[in-house]
């Protein structure tokens, strides 16, 4: 809801601060007093084109500030601000400020944060609807008619949205599977060769490390085998040290009893024989441990080179070959069984499509029924508004499958025929601004404000009518204002008398400068203004009495 409007240096307005409340507010004044300036100023705050001609003569810039009630969390307004990186504290009012410089440049702020005029235009439909000469095309845009009809009929498009999402997800899965299948088919020959090669190789994780270690051990054994053989010959050969020690021991055994020193020598040689024999045993054990089979070494080297060669070909490590075999084997299996998988996905798409069609057709039927009720409700409102020759209809037409969406398979549009025998045409084709405003009013009453902004402005909706029609307009405006905020620019005393608040717009001239001002009227001033509207320049007692009766009613 619009709570305040501050205007500085806009055309004839030097400085103006207005406050607004809920219900029906009326703005009156003589022709040319500047009522349109107020709407132009508000339009600036709502993103209208900035023109230097709006800046008051002699001023450097014009400034308009519009204040609205704090948006509800997760509302369209709150979401738009979040998407544009603008902060909004809970409970904080929405403050929009627009500055237009005399050279035509402009700046915009939302809660003192820089914003674009484009964002203001996105926010506008959530804040204010202006109908009449300055219509913002809110109800005239067929893009919003479907949502309005659904709100009027209390129709739930949720099942259709769920079915649509499932259908699209099934189609996406099928498209991915087909793309994978096509890619796999292109690679089939390579896959078959690679899988056959890997299966024949039968790689095992950790195999390369084991082969490399065994190969290293055998290569070391090959190098020291000859040296170990030489050591054995030196120790145990026919001329080896151990053989000579034993010969010496046998000689000493015969003569050891002849002298004590010989016995000691024999004992030392015996110890040497024992140590030499131990050394020989250790050399023999080492030779046995380091012994290798040249054929085994060759086999390990061939296997190792095969593993590393295949790994290089596939640009992986040797230990990754088993996982690669599993992956490529799976891809080959999918190629060979891909037709069956795609057939299952195609069936899933068809089932999801059928579910969507059934839900969407049910919603279409409900929309057609709601359209008939809406047409009847609007038709009921037309005659009292002096539109008894006009007809209204809501068309619910199927769209091409390429346009089916989460909202269904229909295009909804409000259409009118203003004269008997005339063809139906979109609302926007109505030439008369007064007729258009009354059609909008009838539609708004029938829709009971479903899906619209909480602030509505009707600009001279009563143009060209009077008496009972003006009274009917006033009654309907008051009815709408029970659930929303309405501001009405009017020349009709019947409409003005229905307002909860009354603002008088008037020009003043001090001999140098002409200014437009707005004055909130008290009860007495309001009676005088309505009397003026009834009688003209000279207010008669009869006009005042009639004004009292209108206000009392």
């Amino acid at each position: 809801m619009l709570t305040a409007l501050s205007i500085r240096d806009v055309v004839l307005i030097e400085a103006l601060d207005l406050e607004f409340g809920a219900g029906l507010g009326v703005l009156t004044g003589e022709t040319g007093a500047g009522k349109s300036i107020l709407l132009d100023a508000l339009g600036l705050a709502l993103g209208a084109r900035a023109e230097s001609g709006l800046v008051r003569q002699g001023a450097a810039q014009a400034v308009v500030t519009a204040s609205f009630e704090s948006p509800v969390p997760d509302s369209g307004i709150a979401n738009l601000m979040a998407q544009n990186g603008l902060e909004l504290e809970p409970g904080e009012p929405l403050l929009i400020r627009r500055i237009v410089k005399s050279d035509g440049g402009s700046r915009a702020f939302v809660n003192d944060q820089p914003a674009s005029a484009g964002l203001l235009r996105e926010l506008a439909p959530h804040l204010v609807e202006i109908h009449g000469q300055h219509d913002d095309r809110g109800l005239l845009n067929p893009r919003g008619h479907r949502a309005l009809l659904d709100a009027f009929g209390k129709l739930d498009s949720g099942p259709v949205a769920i079915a649509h999402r499932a259908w699209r997800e099934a189609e996406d899965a099928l498209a991915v599977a087909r793309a994978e299948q096509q890619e796999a088919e292109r690679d089939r020959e390579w896959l078959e060769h690679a899988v056959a090669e890997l299966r024949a190789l039968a790689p095992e994780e950790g195999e390369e490390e084991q082969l490399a270690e065994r190969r290293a051990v055998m290569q070391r054994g090959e190098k020291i085998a000859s040296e170990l053989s030489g050591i054995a010959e030196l120790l145990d050969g026919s001329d080896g040290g151990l053989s000579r020690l034993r010969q010496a021991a046998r000689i000493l055994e015969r003569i050891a009893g002849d002298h004590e020193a010989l016995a000691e020598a024999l004992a030392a040689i015996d110890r040497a024989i024992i140590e030499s024999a131990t050394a020989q045993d250790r050399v023999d054990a080492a030779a046995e441990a380091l012994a290798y089979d040249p054929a085994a070494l060759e086999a390990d080297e061939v296997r190792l080179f095969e593993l590393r060669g295949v790994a290089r070909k596939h640009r992986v490590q040797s230990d990754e070959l088993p996982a690669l075999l599993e992956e490529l084997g799976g891809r080959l299996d999918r190629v060979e069984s891909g037709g069956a998988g795609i057939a299952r996905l195609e069936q899933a798409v068809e089932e999801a499509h059928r579910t969507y069609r059934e839900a969407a057709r049910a919603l279409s039927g409900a929309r057609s029924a709601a359209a008939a009720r809406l047409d009847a409700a609007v038709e009921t409102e037309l005659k009292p508004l002096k539109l008894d020759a006009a007809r209204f209809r809501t068309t619910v037409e199927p769209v091409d499958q390429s346009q089916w969406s989460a909202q269904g398979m229909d295009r909804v549009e409000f259409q009118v025929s203003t004269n008997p025998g005339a063809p139906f045409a979109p609302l926007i084709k109505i030439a008369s601004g007064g007729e258009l405003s009354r059609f909008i009013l009838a539609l708004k009453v029938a829709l009971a404000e479903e899906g619209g902004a909480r602030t509505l402005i009707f600009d001279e909706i009563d143009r060209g009518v009077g008496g009972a029609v003006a009274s009917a307009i006033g009654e309907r405006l008051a009815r709408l204002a029970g659930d929303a905020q309405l501001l009405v620019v009017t020349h009709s005393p019947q409409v003005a008398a229905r307002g909860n608040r009354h603002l008088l717009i008037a020009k003043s001239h001090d001999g140098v400068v002409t200014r437009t001002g707005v004055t909130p009227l008290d009860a007495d001033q309001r009676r005088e203004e309505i009397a003026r509207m009834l009688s003209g320049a000279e207010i008669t007692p009869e006009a005042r009495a009639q004004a009292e009766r209108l206000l009392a009613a």
Side-chain angles (χ1 to χ4, degrees):
M1 183 178 75
L2 178 66
T3 57
L5 183 65
S6 174
I7 303 173
R8 295 291 184 272
D9 296 320
V10 174
V11 192
L12 298 179
I13 298 176
E14 185 174 9
L16 185 63
D17 295 292
L18 298 174
E19 293 185 357
F20 302 93
L24 178 60
V26 296
L27 294 85
T28 65
E30 295 182 357
T31 301
K35 297 184 289 294
S36 63
I37 299 176
L38 284 179
L39 299 185
D40 289 338
L42 181 58
L44 278 177
L46 299 175
R49 181 179 177 181
E51 297 180 354
S52 60
L54 292 172
V55 181
R56 188 172 64 88
Q57 187 174 2
Q61 63 182 25
V63 182
V64 178
T65 304
S67 178
F68 297 87
E69 285 184 327
S70 177
V72 176
D74 295 327
S75 63
I77 297 171
N79 291 336
L80 276 172
M81 291 186 65
Q83 291 167 14
N84 286 271
L86 300 180
E87 296 181 359
L88 179 65
E89 294 295 330
E92 182 182 15
L94 181 66
L95 204 65
I96 299 177
R97 180 159 49 98
R98 188 84 181 276
I99 301 172
V100 181
K101 297 181 179 179
S102 57
D103 61 5
S106 72
R107 290 182 295 161
F109 300 87
V110 176
N111 284 28
D112 291 325
Q113 301 164 89
S116 66
L119 174 59
L120 302 189
R121 287 190 289 273
E122 289 185 74
L123 290 170
H126 300 278
L127 298 170
V128 177
E129 290 182 26
I130 302 178
H131 301 292
Q133 298 179 77
H134 303 267
D135 200 298
D136 67 354
R137 312 267 182 229
L139 278 178
L140 303 186
N141 189 346
R143 293 176 60 184
H145 292 176
R146 183 172 57 197
L148 289 170
L149 177 62
D150 287 354
F152 171 80
K154 295 179 172 56
L155 306 181
D156 181 12
S157 61
V160 174
I162 293 172
H164 183 266
R165 183 168 60 251
W167 173 32
R168 291 306 182 201
E169 288 174 351
E171 285 194 325
D172 290 344
L174 176 59
V176 170
R178 283 174 171 165
E180 289 179 348
Q181 180 73 5
Q182 290 174 357
E183 181 180 357
E185 284 290 351
R186 290 193 297 268
D187 297 338
R188 177 193 281 271
E189 184 177 346
W190 177 84
L191 281 171
E192 289 175 342
H193 172 76
V195 170
E197 180 183 46
L198 288 168
R199 284 175 178 167
L201 184 64
E204 296 179 4
E205 189 174 351
E207 185 179 7
E208 180 190 13
E209 183 179 357
Q210 294 173 2
L211 287 170
E213 288 178 355
R214 275 209 313 268
R215 175 171 172 257
V217 169
M218 286 189 287
Q219 286 174 336
R220 287 197 302 274
E222 183 181 20
K223 289 179 181 179
I224 65 176
S226 61
E227 295 179 2
L228 292 178
S229 177
I231 292 172
E233 183 67 25
L234 290 172
L235 288 174
D236 201 26
S238 57
D239 292 328
L242 189 55
S243 175
R244 290 178 181 275
L245 285 172
R246 286 171 179 156
Q247 290 176 7
R250 283 195 293 270
I251 295 171
L252 283 173
E253 284 177 352
R254 291 195 298 270
I255 61 175
D258 294 339
H259 195 281
E260 180 181 356
L262 294 175
E264 291 174 354
L266 177 60
I269 288 176
D270 285 340
R271 290 195 299 274
I273 290 171
I274 292 171
E275 290 297 328
S276 296
T278 300
Q280 177 64 47
D281 290 342
R282 295 293 180 268
V283 169
D284 290 343
E288 183 178 354
L290 292 171
Y292 74 97
D293 180 357
L297 174 58
E298 183 180 0
D300 281 358
E301 286 183 336
V302 169
R303 177 68 176 174
L304 187 59
F305 294 152
E306 285 180 345
L307 283 172
R308 289 175 174 172
V310 173
R312 281 196 301 273
K313 181 194 295 186
H314 292 286
R315 298 181 180 179
V316 297
Q317 299 298 318
S318 297
D319 282 350
E320 296 173 352
L321 289 175
L324 178 64
L325 173 57
E326 184 177 355
E327 177 191 344
L328 297 183
R331 285 174 59 184
L332 184 58
D333 290 342
R334 287 195 294 275
V335 172
E336 295 171 345
S337 62
I342 287 177
R344 288 193 298 272
L345 289 172
E346 288 174 341
Q347 181 64 29
V349 169
E350 179 54 36
E351 291 176 0
H353 192 190
R354 182 171 60 255
T355 300
Y356 172 79
R357 289 197 307 269
E358 291 172 355
R361 284 169 181 163
L363 180 60
S364 295
R367 281 174 174 157
S368 295
R373 296 196 303 274
L374 177 60
D375 294 349
V378 174
E379 292 281 356
T380 301
E381 298 294 330
L382 295 181
K383 186 174 181 179
L385 295 175
K386 201 177 179 182
L387 294 169
D388 43 317
R391 291 174 298 156
F392 174 89
R393 75 177 182 187
T394 305
T395 62
V396 181
E397 298 177 343
V399 296
D400 185 77
Q401 181 170 328
S402 62
Q403 296 176 282
W404 290 1
S405 69
Q407 287 73 45
M409 52 176 65
D410 309 311
R411 182 176 65 86
V412 176
E413 184 176 21
F414 301 147
Q415 296 182 341
V416 296
S417 170
T418 54
N419 296 297
F424 280 91
L427 277 172
I428 197 172
K429 297 298 184 181
I430 299 176
S432 165
E435 278 189 338
L436 176 59
S437 295
R438 279 178 278 147
F439 257 110
I440 294 294
L441 178 59
L443 187 54
K444 276 291 183 183
V445 170
L447 290 171
E449 276 297 274
E450 295 289 353
R454 302 309 300 167
T455 296
L456 286 83
I457 298 177
F458 286 92
D459 182 16
E460 298 188 6
I461 191 173
D462 49 15
R463 186 188 310 150
V465 300
V469 176
S471 181
I473 291 173
E475 187 273 330
R476 281 155 178 78
L477 290 171
R479 193 193 314 170
L480 272 181
D483 295 319
Q485 178 189 51
L486 262 72
L487 299 175
V488 181
V489 176
T490 181
H491 290 289
S492 167
Q494 290 90 342
V495 173
R498 290 278 185 174
N500 304 107
R501 289 163 312 285
H502 194 146
L503 300 176
L504 175 62
I505 303 171
K507 282 183 181 178
S508 62
H509 187 71
D510 60 5
V512 178
V513 178
T514 300
R515 297 181 177 86
T516 290
V518 180
T519 304
L521 301 183
D522 60 23
D524 290 339
Q525 292 170 327
R526 188 177 181 194
R527 183 196 61 208
E528 287 297 295
E529 171 61 8
I530 293 175
R532 181 200 64 76
M533 296 171 73
L534 285 165
S535 63
E538 183 179 349
I539 302 176
T540 64
E542 292 79 3
R544 289 191 177 92
Q546 179 63 14
E548 289 280 8
R549 286 192 291 271
L550 287 175
L551 288 168

